[in-house]
Amino acid sequence: MHILIVEAPFYTHIAAMQRDGVTEALNAAGATWDIISVPGALEVPAAIAFAEQSGKYDGYVALGCVIRGETYHFEVVAGESARAIMALTLDGFAIGNGILTVENEAQAIARADKTQKNKGGEAAAAALAMVALKQRFA
């Protein structure tokens, strides 16, 4: 399987932890992968849609982190990025969603760190499972 990791590395230290979890899981599964960066979580679904047109990828891992702030922006970014990723999955894309939506940096670190909750590794596992399911029905 060839997977594209699409990351929004706004919080670079959190992105690095997520990336470590994803690449470790993909390598352990024998998958090959590429990685691209986009400006933010809202751009992740568009990048996946662009990449799908190439026909090079079996699946995708979406990575990013949205931390609640003082304005409504958190709700917009968290909700719309999740909605757009879900729309792509309903169109037949195999995506593991690893975009974290958290209240604070401590929650983000706990979820990103592969020695703790390892949500990046979980997103990679989800992408691989969805690729396998898609191939089963092809």
Side-chain angles (χ1 to χ4, degrees):
M1 291 185 211
H2 192 52
I3 304 296
L4 179 63
I5 303 164
V6 181
E7 69 171 2
F10 187 80
Y11 301 101
T12 56
H13 61 299
I14 295 167
M17 287 187 276
Q18 288 180 290
R19 192 178 327 107
D20 286 348
V22 172
T23 57
E24 184 175 283
L26 293 176
N27 290 340
T32 59
W33 51 270
D34 294 327
I35 189 166
I36 60 169
S37 294
V38 297
L42 287 174
E43 290 76 32
V44 170
I48 292 171
F50 298 156
E52 179 72 3
Q53 295 174 16
S54 74
K56 291 174 48 176
Y57 300 101
D58 299 303
Y60 304 90
V61 177
L63 294 181
C65 180
V66 185
I67 299 176
R68 184 179 300 279
E70 298 175 359
T71 68
Y72 184 68
H73 185 69
F74 170 86
E75 283 82 4
V76 171
V77 174
E80 290 302 311
S81 62
R83 183 203 55 77
I85 289 170
M86 181 57 67
L88 291 173
T89 64
L90 293 174
D91 284 340
F93 293 48
I95 303 171
N97 186 354
I99 297 178
L100 304 175
T101 52
V102 297
E103 297 292 326
N104 54 54
E105 184 179 8
Q107 288 179 351
I109 290 170
R111 285 156 180 76
D113 187 346
K114 69 181 181 180
T115 66
Q116 295 183 54
K117 295 187 185 239
N118 194 18
K119 295 299 182 181
E122 288 180 11
L128 294 171
M130 294 307 291
V131 168
L133 186 61
K134 184 177 178 179
Q135 291 173 344
R136 177 178 166 196
F137 289 110

